[in-house]
Amino acid sequence: MLDHVPYFSYLLSAFIGIGLAAATGFRVFLPMFAVSLASYLHWIPMNESFAWLAGLPALITTGIATIVEILAYYIPFVDHLLDTVSVPMATIAGSVLFASQFAELGTFPQWALGLIAGGGTAATISSGFAGLRAASTATTGGLGNSVVGTTETAGAGIMAFLAMAAPVLAAIFAILLIVGVVFFGRKLWRKFRKNKNIARQT
């Protein structure tokens, strides 16, 4: 029934792309591994432009990278080093996964959408959790970072699954996450500036 809705296929692709991009905001490689595995097993279709993602080399590479990334976030100091590169890497991964849903549009609109919607979504969520990790380090001395790391891994897995199984729900969660990150991020930034001004005055 919904197949007769104008541009429904593009809308569905956008929902899937946003969900996958949001997942890379939590973890860079886990969503890519999930998509690679699902396409390798023919659970989801993959267009010719991104056939490499459905290949065995990509599946093995993203699988190893996923394990390394997850474990690295439980190692003190290493997690902070990863945070310095997580945002640009998430932006790239989010752009690629979003763009993979719009290969039929042509190169320029495909990657323009990928960078703006996919990369923007991933970067926003990744920045939010990097800030949360910094706050956890400041308040718990790093003891709470493992909780943040576990939450990120779970979030990446859940969002990647929803993006492929329930795209509309994944898109709704992604939008809520973006709104939450922007809202609380601005709130924390204002508090930080206020405390900084107070410290200067004293």
Side-chain angles (χ1 to χ4, degrees):
M1 181 177 180
L2 291 175
D3 292 339
H4 299 292
V5 176
Y7 305 109
F8 174 73
S9 61
Y10 291 110
L11 193 60
L12 184 62
S13 294
F15 289 154
I16 296 172
I18 286 292
L20 291 174
T24 62
F26 289 100
R27 282 285 178 268
V28 173
F29 293 107
L30 196 156
M32 298 194 74
F33 171 70
V35 171
S36 183
L37 177 63
S39 57
Y40 180 78
L41 296 176
H42 304 292
W43 292 343
I44 61 172
M46 185 60 65
N47 58 66
E48 293 181 4
S49 301
F50 290 85
W52 58 270
L53 195 55
L56 186 59
L59 179 63
I60 294 173
T61 302
T62 55
I64 294 173
T66 296
I67 294 172
V68 172
E69 182 184 22
I70 291 173
L71 294 179
Y73 271 101
Y74 290 100
I75 303 175
F77 302 112
V78 175
D79 58 346
H80 297 300
L81 292 176
L82 288 176
D83 278 337
T84 62
V85 296
S86 63
V87 176
M89 289 180 65
T91 303
I92 295 172
S95 299
V96 169
L97 290 181
F98 190 95
S100 69
Q101 303 301 310
F102 290 93
E104 69 279 3
L105 288 182
T107 303
F108 180 75
Q110 172 193 14
W111 287 104
L113 279 173
L115 184 60
I116 295 170
T121 296
T124 300
I125 295 174
S126 181
S127 298
F129 274 89
L132 182 60
R133 190 184 308 280
S136 172
T137 301
T139 56
T140 68
L143 296 177
N145 288 11
S146 60
V147 176
V148 177
T150 301
T151 301
E152 288 174 318
T153 301
I158 292 171
M159 286 300 297
F161 173 77
L162 286 177
M164 293 182 283
V168 176
L169 195 58
I172 292 172
F173 283 156
I175 292 171
L176 291 175
L177 278 168
I178 293 171
V179 172
V181 167
V182 172
F183 176 77
F184 288 108
R186 290 181 63 183
K187 193 173 181 179
L188 288 173
W189 175 248
R190 288 172 182 171
K191 185 177 180 180
F192 172 77
R193 290 185 63 183
K194 183 178 180 181
N195 291 339
K196 191 175 181 180
N197 290 334
I198 293 174
R200 284 180 177 176
Q201 292 174 0
T202 59

